[in-house]
Amino acid sequence: MTKQLRDHIERVVPLSDTEFEMISSFFSLKRYKKHQFLIQDGEPVPCNFFVLKGLLKLVYTNDAGKEHIVGFAQEDWWETDFAAYYTESKATMSLECIEDTEVLCLRLIDYKKMCAAVPKLEHFFLEKAYQGFISAQQRIISTMTVGIKERYEQLLKKYPTLVQRVPKSLLAAYLGVSREALSRLPQ
Amino acid sequence: MTKQLRDHIERVVPLSDTEFEMISSFFSLKRYKKHQFLIQDGEPVPCNFFVLKGLLKLVYTNDAGKEHIVGFAQEDWWETDFAAYYTESKATMSLECIEDTEVLCLRLIDYKKMCAAVPKLEHFFLEKAYQGFISAQQRIISTMTVGIKERYEQLLKKYPTLVQRVPKSLLAAYLGVSREALSRLPQ
DNA sequence: ATTATCGAGTGACAAAAGTCACATCACTGC
DNA sequence: GCAGTGATGTGACTTTTGTCACTCGATAAT
């Protein structure tokens, strides 16, 4: 069951059986249906979520009520409103299922206990944080430097499987353009 | 001299005198003049830089030769082409002085040795990485959800001192718009 | 089976921003 | 002092993108 999580962590830091037993005791499994919310804008953020199966969207809704996709999360990805999670404040985004989804939930208290119990996990999360930072910075650069068509092509190249699971209207909301603009791309 | 670095680190993790002595032995002080490059696009990235005094710009230049500002760095900020630094590959960006600048340089090998010698530093860098990720994500949201005027106002509010030290043409290149568009904002 | 709903494409028009050209002002270096 | 450079603002025009309205086809719900 949680072999998936163990494999995921061990791609960065090796674990003994007892270490992983300890780790897995801090997570809880939850199942959500399509259209259900894991995080509601304006409410506390209960967990950081590790996706076992399914697909999520992290959505920021502006004052005008327009939805912008901050990120997607498919199998083996972590997702949450990280700023709110880590500072224990209210969510500014929502996290919603695009498909029926199974996640492992990690509360902030348990994250801290877990890192205290197995210190090498801080190294794992450091690697994840570096990856997240690099990805975010590359997305900023992509937005600034290339047109819609190339951004869409970069997305196709980087996440080919994800693109096929997500409607184009949501991809447009992720790329920061209207669905019409994305629809009008040559080819 | 390096009290500045110690204070900076101790805002996250407390250090003994011997720990800090160890830490400071891994850094080297360098001075650069306005217009000098700390990182050249296409070359290896020697260091992660901690700014003691001065002001830097991290620049991505696209195929058309247009410059885009990925970030600025003033006193007590860390800056480098992180993706290239951490993976020991060639830089895709340049890091250049906007003012005469003093930095503490940390090579990747020394970063690793230092973290091995003083493990709690991984926690410090984890905090920095989380901050960097959150900032980058908020910048993405800002770009997607609000117009130029509000982005500029958010920048003013978040980094009031920095804005005064940087020409508006560079701020425009940071915000992702032409300098004319920024210049034409009402008020 | 027949309504709804959703995803997707398209035309017409408006709004926003980019590009190019030019003018001004402050500062630097000789 | 004076020429050169860089920062800034502005007008004119073009290009891109957003918005609104409509259509079509596939899928889901009853």
Side-chain angles (χ1 to χ4, degrees):
Chain A
M1 171 56 83
T2 50
K3 181 177 184 305
Q4 194 176 338
L5 177 63
R6 182 166 182 171
D7 288 349
H8 174 72
I9 296 174
E10 290 207 303
R11 303 187 107 206
V12 181
V13 293
L15 297 173
S16 69
D17 287 356
T18 52
E19 278 170 342
F20 182 69
E21 223 167 287
M22 181 130 237
I23 288 168
S24 62
S25 73
F26 290 106
F27 287 85
S28 64
L29 174 68
K30 288 201 182 154
R31 286 173 229 269
Y32 296 88
K33 291 264 167 203
K34 187 172 175 174
H35 297 131
Q36 276 193 297
F37 286 77
L38 286 73
I39 298 172
Q40 291 264 9
D41 174 29
E43 295 184 14
V45 178
C47 297
N48 194 356
F49 300 96
F50 177 74
V51 179
L52 291 172
K53 180 142 190 49
L55 186 54
L56 303 172
K57 60 174 181 180
L58 184 63
V59 178
Y60 178 90
T61 305
N62 71 2
D63 301 341
K66 198 168 168 180
E67 292 197 349
H68 301 268
I69 309 281
V70 180
F72 297 105
Q74 58 184 359
E75 287 76 13
D76 287 3
W77 288 22
W78 295 84
E79 197 70 273
T80 191
D81 176 345
F82 193 80
Y85 172 74
Y86 202 62
T87 63
E88 296 180 274
S89 48
K90 300 294 171 73
T92 61
M93 314 178 218
S94 301
L95 184 60
E96 186 183 349
C97 294
I98 297 178
E99 302 174 358
D100 293 357
T101 300
E102 274 180 41
V103 291
L104 292 174
C105 308
L106 180 62
R107 299 165 61 87
L108 185 65
I109 299 174
D110 292 325
Y111 160 81
K112 288 176 179 169
K113 284 184 193 164
M114 187 174 74
C115 286
V118 187
K120 69 174 97 164
L121 278 179
E122 283 226 318
H123 183 74
F124 168 77
F125 285 110
L126 180 60
E127 286 291 324
K128 289 288 144 191
Y130 282 159
Q131 283 174 25
F133 173 70
I134 289 170
S135 288
Q137 202 171 63
Q138 286 174 345
R139 186 169 165 200
I140 289 168
I141 292 172
S142 176
T143 304
M144 287 200 300
T145 60
V146 304
I148 299 179
K149 193 188 171 196
E150 283 153 291
R151 287 220 295 287
Y152 182 63
E153 283 162 359
Q154 287 175 6
L155 185 64
L156 271 170
K157 189 182 282 183
K158 194 164 183 185
Y159 306 114
T161 62
L162 187 140
V163 171
Q164 293 180 325
R165 295 165 76 178
V166 177
K168 286 197 175 173
S169 53
L170 292 185
L171 294 178
Y174 174 84
L175 292 170
V177 297
S178 68
R179 66 167 195 88
E180 290 94 335
L182 185 62
S183 172
R184 274 192 280 254
L185 291 184
Q187 272 44 279
Chain B
M1 169 56 83
T2 49
K3 181 176 184 308
Q4 195 176 338
L5 177 63
R6 181 166 183 170
D7 289 348
H8 175 72
I9 296 174
E10 291 207 301
R11 304 187 106 204
V12 180
V13 292
L15 297 173
S16 70
D17 287 355
T18 52
E19 279 170 340
F20 182 68
E21 224 168 286
M22 181 129 237
I23 288 168
S24 63
S25 73
F26 289 106
F27 287 86
S28 64
L29 174 68
K30 289 202 181 150
R31 286 173 229 269
Y32 296 87
K33 291 263 168 204
K34 187 172 175 175
H35 297 131
Q36 276 193 298
F37 286 78
L38 285 73
I39 297 172
Q40 291 265 8
D41 174 29
E43 295 182 15
V45 178
C47 298
N48 193 357
F49 300 97
F50 177 73
V51 179
L52 291 172
K53 179 142 190 50
L55 186 54
L56 303 172
K57 61 174 180 179
L58 184 64
V59 178
Y60 179 90
T61 305
N62 70 3
D63 302 340
K66 196 167 169 181
E67 292 197 347
H68 301 268
I69 309 280
V70 180
F72 297 105
Q74 58 183 359
E75 287 77 13
D76 287 3
W77 290 21
W78 295 84
E79 197 69 272
T80 191
D81 177 345
F82 193 80
Y85 172 74
Y86 202 62
T87 63
E88 295 181 275
S89 48
K90 300 296 172 69
T92 61
M93 314 178 218
S94 301
L95 184 61
E96 186 183 349
C97 295
I98 296 178
E99 302 174 359
D100 293 356
T101 300
E102 276 180 39
V103 291
L104 292 174
C105 308
L106 180 62
R107 299 165 61 87
L108 186 65
I109 300 174
D110 293 325
Y111 159 80
K112 288 175 179 170
K113 284 184 194 164
M114 187 174 76
C115 287
V118 186
K120 70 173 96 162
L121 278 179
E122 284 226 317
H123 184 73
F124 168 77
F125 285 109
L126 180 60
E127 286 291 324
K128 289 288 144 189
Y130 283 159
Q131 283 174 23
F133 173 71
I134 290 170
S135 288
Q137 202 171 64
Q138 286 175 344
R139 186 168 164 201
I140 289 169
I141 293 172
S142 176
T143 304
M144 288 200 300
T145 60
V146 303
I148 299 178
K149 193 187 172 196
E150 284 153 290
R151 287 219 295 286
Y152 182 63
E153 283 163 359
Q154 288 175 6
L155 186 64
L156 272 170
K157 188 182 282 183
K158 194 164 182 185
Y159 306 115
T161 63
L162 187 140
V163 170
Q164 292 179 323
R165 295 165 75 176
V166 177
K168 287 198 175 173
S169 54
L170 292 185
L171 295 177
Y174 173 84
L175 292 170
V177 297
S178 68
R179 64 164 198 91
E180 291 94 335
L182 186 62
S183 172
R184 273 192 273 258
L185 291 184
Q187 272 44 280

